Amino acid sequence: MKKAHALSFALCLGLSTAQTVLATENGADSFALGAEGMMAGALPPAGVYLLTYYQNYHAGEYVNGPDNFHLDFTALIPRLVWMTEQNYFGGQLGFYAIQPMVNLNLNVAGMSDKNTILGDIVLGSMLGWHQGNHHWIAALETVLATGKYDTPTANQPIVANVGKNYNTIRPILAYTYAPLNGLDISTKISYSFNDENDENDEIHYKSGEYFAGDYSLGYKLSDHVKLAIEGYAFKQVKSDRISGNDIGQKGQVLAVGPAIQYRDQNWSIEAKYLKETNVENRPKGHTSLLKFIWAF
């Protein structure tokens, strides 16, 4: 039987507030912070796999941003993965597609907006290698600006945008060390290149490039159950630009929390709770996430 393995993955989270300049456009990014954990660097055998993520994120503060800020974000994210039997450079070739379905509630300084809609589509290709207890993935994914995006106006200065209105190219590397003693050390890192949001004819906003990644330190208690300490990190390395001018804003965040995974022959489910700290120029909150993997 095929076994369900953790795979690298990205969802889209977007929000937009007018008259506020913050790191990455309004503190949002399209990397799926915290989505991956145990066995993040191990691709499964050839076949078709359905991964379904359910995420709830709540932030009651925007560090170095607007006052009276509240954000509630809930998403159901199906991801279809096709692992082929083809090998290139010694690695197994695979493809994936993601279409988030998002509910977003945003409140800033007494003004609010909400939206329930499809987010930006993500398409990716990847190669996976295995050598004893070591597993690697190299991937390249594109976030396409397919989600709905509305420009804030004087009459509607707060807009809960799920779509981001710009494309992102993202190389990804993932690694897992899983010896027979039950230890599981996994990480996934990425670097994101964003193009320009040109919805506003007067202001062309370009979010800065950033590193982002997930990490996991787990231990197998039995053939079915693993426990882990997991989290994520985000560090913006290039400042945002407005109409070509550097605005000197960079975001960062670190999160950590407990996780548990149960797996059987052709499916697995993982749950985690992650709390954010060391936040700069971004929302600060916590996230709960469920990940279900089914091998056809």
Side-chain angles (χ1 to χ4, degrees), residues 125-147:
S125 58
M126 52 193 171
L127 289 173
W129 296 267
H130 308 276
Q131 185 175 356
N133 299 325
H134 303 274
H135 311 272
W136 300 268
I137 299 171
L140 182 66
E141 69 179 27
T142 302
V143 184
L144 300 175
T146 58

Side-chain angles (χ1 to χ4, degrees), residues 45 76 117 128 182 227 294:
L76 180 67
I117 200 168
L227 295 179
W294 178 265

Side-chain angles (χ1 to χ4, degrees), residues 9-296:
F9 144 91
L11 63 85
C12 306
L13 182 157
L15 62 96
S16 180
T17 58
Q19 302 173 344
T20 306
V21 177
L22 298 156
T24 57
E25 189 167 1
N26 304 297
D29 58 81
S30 60
F31 183 81
L33 293 171
E36 299 309 327
M38 301 174 224
M39 299 298 290
L43 288 179
V48 178
Y49 300 81
L50 178 63
L51 291 77
T52 304
Y53 299 77
Y54 176 81
Q55 183 183 22
N56 178 262
Y57 176 81
H58 173 77
E61 176 185 0
Y62 202 128
V63 179
N64 301 325
D67 296 328
N68 301 319
F69 178 90
H70 295 277
L71 169 67
D72 284 295
F73 165 86
T74 303
L76 180 67
I77 310 104
R79 175 186 180 187
L80 189 64
V81 175
W82 173 38
M83 295 304 303
T84 74
E85 296 182 355
Q86 304 300 314
N87 285 268
Y88 296 93
F89 308 105
Q92 182 186 5
L93 177 65
F95 302 93
Y96 59 90
I98 303 162
Q99 176 59 81
M101 295 172 280
V102 180
N103 176 263
L104 184 63
N105 289 273
L106 178 64
N107 189 297
V108 182
M111 298 175 288
S112 63
D113 191 30
K114 60 183 179 179
N115 210 345
T116 302
I117 200 168
L118 297 178
D120 293 340
I121 289 176
V122 182
L123 301 175
S125 58
M126 52 193 171
L127 289 173
W129 296 267
H130 308 276
Q131 185 175 356
N133 299 325
H134 303 274
H135 311 272
W136 300 268
I137 299 171
L140 182 66
E141 69 179 27
T142 302
V143 184
L144 300 175
T146 58
K148 188 174 183 291
Y149 180 91
D150 294 319
T151 302
T153 64
N155 293 329
Q156 182 65 44
I158 301 300
V159 180
N161 274 319
V162 174
K164 302 186 67 58
N165 202 51
Y166 61 81
N167 303 309
T168 298
I169 298 292
R170 178 178 297 128
I172 297 171
L173 294 175
Y175 170 75
T176 289
Y177 174 63
L180 296 178
N181 62 8
L183 188 65
D184 180 343
I185 301 174
S186 296
T187 186
K188 181 186 75 172
I189 59 173
S190 71
Y191 191 84
S192 295
F193 301 90
N194 305 308
D195 69 8
E196 191 175 82
N197 183 350
D198 57 1
E199 178 69 18
N200 190 319
D201 293 334
E202 298 180 358
I203 300 176
H204 290 188
Y205 200 108
K206 185 173 183 180
S207 295
E209 299 168 9
Y210 57 86
F211 281 104
D214 299 334
Y215 64 89
S216 173
L217 177 59
Y219 186 76
K220 184 167 65 175
L221 298 180
S222 68
D223 290 339
H224 298 288
V225 179
K226 279 187 181 180
L227 295 179
I229 298 296
E230 297 188 354
Y232 56 80
F234 173 98
K235 181 67 176 180
Q236 190 173 345
V237 297
K238 289 191 177 181
S239 176
D240 293 5
R241 304 179 73 88
I242 295 180
S243 300
N245 298 314
D246 191 320
I247 64 173
Q249 294 285 346
K250 298 179 182 178
Q252 73 171 39
V253 64
L254 179 68
V256 65
I260 185 170
Q261 181 191 74
Y262 182 88
R263 62 187 303 160
D264 211 329
Q265 289 185 333
N266 64 336
W267 65 273
S268 73
I269 188 168
E270 183 176 340
K272 66 186 74 177
Y273 175 83
L274 307 175
K275 187 172 179 60
E276 295 182 328
T277 185
N278 295 330
V279 180
E280 293 182 5
N281 302 314
R282 290 174 56 89
K284 180 180 180 180
H286 55 82
T287 187
S288 302
L289 194 142
L290 291 174
K291 179 174 69 174
F292 179 78
I293 302 177
W294 178 265
F296 291 97

